[in-house]
Amino acid sequence: MTNDRSDGLLPGWDATSSDEPEGATPAGAMPTRTGTPPGTFGLRILNVSEVARAIRDAVRADERLRDVWVEGEVGRVTVSSAGHAYFSLKDDKSAVQCVWFRDERVRSAFQPQAGLRIVVHGRVDLFEPQGALQLYVESIQPAGFGDLTLRFEALKARLTQEGLFDSARKRPLPSRPTTIAVITSPTGVVWRDIGTVLARRWPLARVVLVACQVQGEDAPASIVSAFRRLDRWIGQCRADGHPDEAPQVTILARGGGSLEDLWSFNDERVVRAVVAHAVPVVCGVGHEVDVTLADFAADVRAPTPSAAAELVVPDRAEWEKAFRRAAERIAVAAERLLTATRRELDAEARALLRLDPVAQLATSRERVGLLLDRAVRAGTVALTARRAAIERSAGLIPQLATQRVGSARSALDAATASLAVLGPQATLDRGYAIVRRAADELIVRDPTETPAATDLLIRVAKGEFRATAGRPRRDGDAAESN
């Protein structure tokens, strides 16, 4: 093969200077912009920016890359000072560099960690300054949820368009609620944890449990029913002129679990019940990484049920510190007032001394001195008495606060004891029994409901036993033993 200049090929590796085309720049001379560069023979050579733009246009023209869902394992994660996250998404053969901007990242409860398998949603584009082909992430979720995740995202998008999750409709929480409603299961640890936190932080508040199911097919209807019962009670209290007896805030709570376990809180009926509730709602469902649609609909989202309890009430210790700080400010203000008054008295004394005539009679001078001394003593006595009164008042503030908290705790204990006396177990302890039909476990209220030979379940104070109904008793018949 020859290096014919007309064939359009680049020169061979052993080309000499005699093979250079006409118009080439001599060795050692500065190149010029005119003419064809050596070794090109008319080929179009692109600069880096042109290549980058061509790649960018090709990527953006591919509709498959505009809206993609990609599953893979997270590589090393880096968060910049601006809050943007950079990480790689890889499988056993390839890796893709991902960028997650701060605005999208802070709105997500799930964050990427090295080694996790995730599904990301976004678009592929080219970052021209570095020539880097990157996946620009819009949302992230753990891999493996399948249809539930798609249903979650679809319902979330629809309810978002309706404005149910807008921050403008979120209501502020009351600073010191007197009554707090808790919608949760009465048998789980969540109810005990919430009660413990509320009793520790703000024992003055009254806590009302609205029992419901929090898992299973019947859970959404049970949660919605709990909201409706609570709304009716709040409305009745307001209509009766006792709004302080109604809850000022409601906690919707449940412990952690899988997406399937928490699916009741993604039900559209539950979301709408939260939005339509009469008072602000704090949602404490699952752990910090668990996110449900009820969290978006609630006025405040808490990472855990215990955190929800901490959000709705102030800390008693902080209030005690505030009282102490107020007492200290009162003492400082009193000391400042005494100091200012003493300075005024000293100024008056000096003024009297300056106005005393040297040639005044000795008796007049003595009389003026006595009057001045009496004024100083009277002012000092009055100031001392006032200071003592202020100090006594400051010392009584912590004692009054402690007495108020103790009185409220005693009232709460008395109410708890009264509830225990009125409970079903107390009625059984007094000798009563609950009779149910064994077939359907319905409570028997009429003898006609139990024909002869009907199997019965009889519950007494210390347990339950079975029995069989005899024939109905007629007038004059002797009592028949079952």
Side-chain angles (χ1 to χ4, degrees):
M1 181 181 292
T2 61
N3 283 332
D4 187 356
R5 297 179 183 177
S6 63
D7 59 9
L9 299 175
L10 293 175
W13 62 271
D14 56 348
T16 62
S17 59
S18 60
D19 297 322
E20 295 177 356
E22 295 181 2
T25 303
M30 295 297 292
T32 62
R33 296 184 180 273
T34 60
T36 304
T40 61
F41 293 95
L43 292 177
R44 171 165 171 72
I45 298 178
L46 303 177
N47 57 37
V48 176
S49 298
E50 290 174 330
V51 174
R53 281 195 295 271
I55 297 174
R56 180 202 63 188
D57 295 340
V59 170
R60 293 181 178 178
D62 192 340
E63 295 183 356
R64 297 174 300 173
L65 303 179
R66 296 178 186 175
D67 187 4
V68 295
W69 293 82
V70 184
E71 179 179 349
E73 180 181 336
V74 179
R76 184 170 178 266
V77 181
T78 303
V79 179
S80 68
S81 57
H84 308 320
Y86 301 88
F87 59 93
S88 61
L89 199 62
K90 58 185 180 180
D91 55 17
D92 55 349
K93 295 181 180 179
S94 305
V96 176
Q97 299 301 318
C98 302
V99 180
W100 198 13
F101 291 128
R102 176 184 178 277
D103 291 342
E104 288 79 12
R105 188 175 68 85
V106 297
R107 287 196 295 265
S108 175
F110 181 77
Q111 299 296 323
Q113 298 181 13
L116 292 181
R117 191 165 188 82
I118 63 173
V119 175
V120 302
H121 176 230
R123 59 183 176 84
V124 178
D125 205 346
L126 182 76
F127 183 54
E128 291 187 55
Q130 296 182 0
L133 196 63
Q134 301 177 131
L135 175 59
Y136 290 85
V137 178
E138 296 178 0
S139 64
I140 288 181
Q141 61 189 28
F145 287 162
D147 293 339
L148 285 182
T149 300
L150 298 179
R151 288 170 54 192
F152 178 90
E153 293 296 336
L155 182 57
K156 177 184 174 183
R158 181 163 61 84
L159 297 181
T160 300
Q161 291 179 352
E162 293 185 25
L164 299 186
F165 302 151
D166 291 347
S167 58
R169 54 157 295 275
K170 307 290 185 179
R171 295 164 291 188
L173 301 181
S175 58
R176 297 185 301 277
T178 57
T179 305
I180 301 168
V182 180
I183 299 178
T184 189
S185 171
T187 60
V189 298
V190 170
W191 166 237
R192 293 196 296 270
D193 292 343
I194 290 176
T196 301
V197 173
L198 294 177
R200 184 188 74 246
R201 288 177 60 88
W202 196 250
L204 298 178
R206 184 164 63 110
V207 185
V208 179
L209 171 64
V210 185
C212 68
Q213 298 181 29
V214 294
Q215 185 173 341
E217 296 182 357
D218 298 331
S222 178
I223 296 172
V224 172
S225 176
F227 272 108
R228 290 175 178 171
R229 295 198 309 271
L230 187 55
D231 283 331
R232 287 196 298 269
W233 182 40
I234 294 174
Q236 185 63 42
C237 291
R238 293 175 177 175
D240 294 341
H242 304 291
D244 294 338
E245 297 181 3
Q248 290 87 47
V249 64
T250 298
I251 298 175
L252 176 62
R254 186 206 186 279
S258 63
L259 181 61
E260 291 84 357
D261 294 337
L262 302 179
W263 191 251
S264 301
F265 297 89
N266 294 322
D267 192 280
E268 183 175 356
R269 293 170 294 173
V270 174
V271 173
R272 296 189 182 277
V274 171
V275 173
H277 193 44
V279 297
V281 178
V282 178
C283 187
V285 175
H287 301 299
E288 187 170 0
V289 296
D290 298 324
V291 179
T292 65
L293 295 181
D295 291 321
F296 294 106
D299 298 279
V300 176
R301 176 188 178 267
T304 62
S306 298
E310 293 180 355
L311 287 174
V312 299
V313 293
D315 190 356
R316 177 180 58 182
E318 293 296 330
W319 277 81
E320 291 177 354
K321 292 179 182 178
F323 280 127
R324 286 194 291 269
R325 289 194 296 268
E328 293 172 356
R329 288 196 297 269
I330 291 174
V332 170
E335 182 65 28
R336 188 181 300 115
L337 179 61
L338 290 173
T339 303
T341 305
R342 188 177 293 110
R343 284 198 298 267
E344 292 177 0
L345 287 175
D346 293 340
E348 292 295 333
R350 289 192 296 270
L352 288 175
L353 290 175
R354 287 194 301 268
L355 295 175
D356 186 23
V358 178
Q360 193 175 12
L361 296 174
T363 55
S364 299
R365 183 182 302 162
E366 184 177 1
R367 182 167 58 86
V368 171
L370 292 174
L371 291 174
L372 179 59
D373 292 338
R374 289 173 57 188
V376 172
R377 285 195 301 272
T380 303
V381 170
L383 291 174
T384 302
R386 187 174 181 182
R387 181 175 184 178
I390 292 175
E391 290 176 350
R392 286 195 301 272
S393 299
L396 290 176
I397 291 177
Q399 180 180 359
L400 291 175
T402 303
Q403 291 176 353
R404 182 70 179 274
V405 171
S407 176
R409 185 180 292 110
S410 299
L412 180 60
D413 294 340
T416 303
S418 299
L419 287 176
V421 171
L422 296 176
Q425 186 60 38
T427 303
L428 294 177
D429 290 339
R430 291 198 297 270
Y432 291 92
I434 300 175
V435 180
R436 294 175 297 160
R437 289 187 304 208
D440 52 12
E441 295 189 357
L442 292 177
I443 295 175
V444 177
R445 294 182 173 84
D446 191 333
T448 60
E449 297 175 355
T450 58
T454 300
D455 289 335
L456 303 176
L457 295 176
I458 301 179
R459 181 173 182 82
V460 294
K462 296 186 177 181
E464 187 176 80
F465 62 89
R466 287 181 173 269
T468 303
R471 64 181 181 82
R473 183 177 178 181
R474 298 184 179 89
D475 294 340
D477 290 348
E480 182 178 2
S481 175
N482 289 334

